[in-house]
Amino acid sequence: MTLRRRLLFALFSLALTFGVFGAGVVAVQRHYLIGQVDAQLAGYASSPRLVIGLSGTDRAQVALSEVYVGRLFADGRLVTVFSPTDDPDLLPAVGKGDVLSQPEGRGTTAGQARGVRVVTAPLRTDVQAVFAIPTTQVDQAIAQLAATLTAGGFAVLGVVGLVIWWTYRLGLKPFADLTDAARAITRGERRRRVTPGPSGTEANELARAFNTMLDANQASEERMRRFVADASHELRTPLTTLTGYSSLYTRPATAAGAYGLVDAQGIGDAMRRINAEATRMTRIVNDLFLLNELDAGAAGAGAEVDLGAVLRDVAADIKVIQPERPVQVEAGDGLIVTGDQDRLVQAVTAFTSNALRYTPVTAALTIRGFKVGKQRVRVEVSDGGPGIAAGELPHLYDRFYRADPGRGRGSGGSGLGLAIVAAIVGAHRGQYGVSSVPGQGSVFWFELPT
Ligand SMILES: Nc1ncnc2c1ncn2[C@@H]1O[C@H](COP(=O)(O)OP(=O)(O)OP(=O)(O)O)[C@@H](O)[C@H]1O
Ligand SMILES: [Mg+2]
């Protein structure tokens, strides 16, 4: 059931409750008033002779001016003894065979009143005394009460109805707007947003949250599009090289000769280039797979990793790869974090292999691991290289970003190394960063919770 229907239903139930309540009040009140009249009649019926025998002045004294008194004969004749002062012609509808020992409601056969309460009491064997009081006043009082209750009920319902309408307009119409916007976006109006209603309402907050979500979605979509564009661009270069070399092989010998593809050495060179580009492509594709996995939240096994040992191993590897490079390790014991050892090794290696690649072999490399407070372990890789321009620093961890386009692809990098570090550290709920002073070197770091 929609909220609108529920509100209408609530309004209807309220009206029904009012109706039942009002009818109940009217019935109770009527019962009470009639009871009073009946009690009066019962009093007369208990001493009928006395009442019938009263003279005119006595009657006025005992407030009998509203009462009809008559004699009912066995043959049905009704003879008035006296009647109410304001309704002198009144005749209650009683006749032959009527014996009303308890007061009863009856109509009238003459007079102004439409109804009476009437009781009879035996006078002699064939004559009964008849006492009747018109119910005109009771009916009027009850009609007045009913009118008041009805008017009050409608007033309350009106106010409640207005409040409901107001609530509906402020609280529910925005939902309809939201639905419209969602449908429009599904149809392809990507930039459609909801206009938030009056501030301070839940609907306003919902609309804002909805818009924020759409913005975030769109941003992530755009990021994805850029990423795909960068990836295809990155893969196109090695593919072009591959196609170029392989097509040379099928050309006529003279044309191929122009490119040196005639002897074993030329062909060998071409094959080496093809192999290098294929390897490069494989690496890019593997990196992309890894990034995708990390994005999807595959944080790896959560085992205890001794970062100190990791740093010492990486330093030992460097001594094999670049024996001339001055390398220093400063890592104490107890640098234990929970995470995926292979990935963490990969993160540290991304830092060190960059240092090896982008700084001269004479530049000193320092690998440091230490505790920051009780909760965190920090890893720093500093080099004494040329450093990086301040404008480049904020983008270094972006995917496919290379600081200096001139040396980028030539040096074999595809700009994914640091992006992978960012993803790995992110998956371990850590932080990462870089600082650099041109001419003095750079410091790449990450911090993990212990
Ligand atoms: N120690 C460093 N000194 C100077 N520049 C650096 C250093 N480390 C990284 N850079 C710059 O940051 C860029 C991004 O590095 P990143 O590791 O993300 O990509 P890459 O090394 O080019 O490619 P990949 O690591 O995927 O092979 C590099 O292209 C390089 O210009
Ligand atoms: Mg790199």
Side-chain angles (χ1 to χ4, degrees):
M1 202 174 357
T2 64
L3 202 47
R4 197 170 91 172
R5 284 214 181 146
R6 270 183 240 184
L7 286 175
L8 283 178
F9 181 72
L11 194 63
F12 175 74
S13 311
L14 200 63
L16 200 69
T17 314
F18 264 121
V20 170
F21 172 75
V25 167
V26 165
V28 167
Q29 188 67 16
R30 189 182 159 79
H31 184 78
Y32 171 73
L33 291 175
I34 293 284
Q36 280 187 329
V37 171
D38 287 356
Q40 207 180 334
L41 287 173
Y44 303 145
S46 62
S47 40
R49 283 191 192 84
L50 187 73
V51 178
I52 281 197
L54 285 175
S55 69
T57 36
D58 290 342
R59 274 181 240 144
Q61 269 168 12
V62 291
L64 274 173
S65 54
E66 299 169 357
V67 184
Y68 170 92
V69 180
R71 285 196 183 87
L72 178 62
F73 292 88
D75 58 4
R77 237 173 346 116
L78 181 63
V79 178
T80 302
V81 179
F82 52 84
S83 27
T85 28
D86 54 357
D87 198 356
D89 302 329
L90 180 73
L91 275 183
V94 288
K96 196 173 171 184
D98 275 336
V99 179
L100 311 174
S101 51
Q102 294 298 321
E104 236 184 74
R106 281 288 164 99
T108 56
T109 52
Q112 291 157 17
R114 311 211 140 265
V116 290
R117 295 294 290 180
V118 59
V119 69
T120 62
L123 280 176
R124 292 197 306 268
T125 23
D126 53 350
V127 185
Q128 298 184 85
V130 176
F131 303 101
I133 297 179
T135 50
T136 320
Q137 281 186 11
V138 172
D139 290 342
Q140 273 170 2
I142 290 302
Q144 188 112 36
L145 179 68
T148 311
L149 282 176
T150 311
F154 273 114
V156 170
L157 282 182
V159 170
V160 171
L162 272 180
V163 169
I164 286 182
W165 178 78
W166 181 64
T167 314
Y168 175 75
R169 235 187 60 80
L170 274 189
L172 295 188
K173 193 177 156 292
F175 285 105
D177 294 350
L178 209 66
T179 315
D180 282 350
R183 293 214 173 103
I185 290 166
T186 315
R187 274 197 309 272
E189 291 176 40
R190 286 304 205 221
R191 306 214 162 259
R192 173 78 177 267
R193 294 292 180 268
V194 189
T195 326
S199 62
T201 60
E202 284 88 346
N204 173 285
E205 274 165 37
L206 179 65
R208 278 171 192 285
F210 187 74
N211 286 346
T212 313
M213 178 195 76
L214 289 177
D215 289 344
N217 256 3
Q218 198 168 343
S220 123
E221 237 172 61
E222 258 151 38
R223 242 190 342 266
M224 183 53 85
R225 200 170 306 132
R226 208 164 347 131
F227 179 68
V228 170
D230 288 344
S232 359
H233 176 81
E234 210 58 37
L235 289 173
R236 188 160 336 123
T237 317
L239 277 176
T240 314
T241 316
L242 287 183
T243 339
Y245 276 109
S246 52
S247 69
L248 278 185
Y249 189 69
T250 57
R251 289 211 190 153
T254 44
Y259 298 94
L261 271 188
V262 278
D263 52 8
Q265 200 202 331
I267 293 175
D269 281 347
M271 284 304 148
R272 259 191 302 284
R273 291 287 299 120
I274 286 175
N275 185 269
E277 289 300 328
T279 312
R280 196 177 130 71
M281 243 166 63
T282 312
R283 230 195 57 217
I284 294 177
V285 170
N286 285 342
D287 284 354
L288 287 177
F289 265 123
L290 174 60
L291 274 173
N292 188 39
E293 256 173 44
L294 290 168
D295 282 351
E304 286 202 340
V305 181
D306 182 355
L307 276 181
V310 167
L311 298 187
R312 282 187 286 274
D313 287 352
V314 171
D317 293 348
I318 293 174
K319 281 183 187 132
V320 176
I321 302 167
Q322 276 189 4
E324 317 89 310
R325 169 83 63 171
V327 182
Q328 212 185 337
V329 195
E330 298 169 12
D333 289 327
L335 301 178
I336 308 292
V337 295
T338 308
D340 185 329
Q341 165 129 3
D342 291 346
R343 297 277 176 264
L344 292 175
V345 169
Q346 194 173 3
V348 178
T349 318
F351 285 166
T352 53
S353 60
N354 278 350
L356 300 192
R357 196 189 277 166
Y358 302 116
T359 63
V361 76
T362 47
L365 182 60
T366 311
I367 304 173
R368 227 180 257 128
F370 53 94
K371 280 195 169 169
V372 181
K374 286 210 168 76
Q375 309 279 320
R376 306 183 77 79
V377 172
R378 185 175 171 106
V379 170
E380 281 184 4
V381 175
S382 345
D383 63 61
I388 305 159
E392 315 258 30
L393 293 180
H395 307 293
L396 286 188
Y397 284 90
D398 291 354
R399 293 174 184 190
F400 294 114
Y401 189 83
R402 282 178 294 248
D404 182 350
R407 80 188 154 186
R409 204 170 285 130
S411 60
S414 55
L416 287 176
L418 292 177
I420 289 175
V421 175
I424 292 173
V425 173
H428 286 79
R429 293 184 309 283
Q431 266 110 42
Y432 53 86
V434 56
S435 57
S436 180
V437 180
Q440 289 180 28
S442 323
V443 182
F444 286 85
W445 61 266
F446 65 76
E447 268 180 33
L448 300 181
T450 48

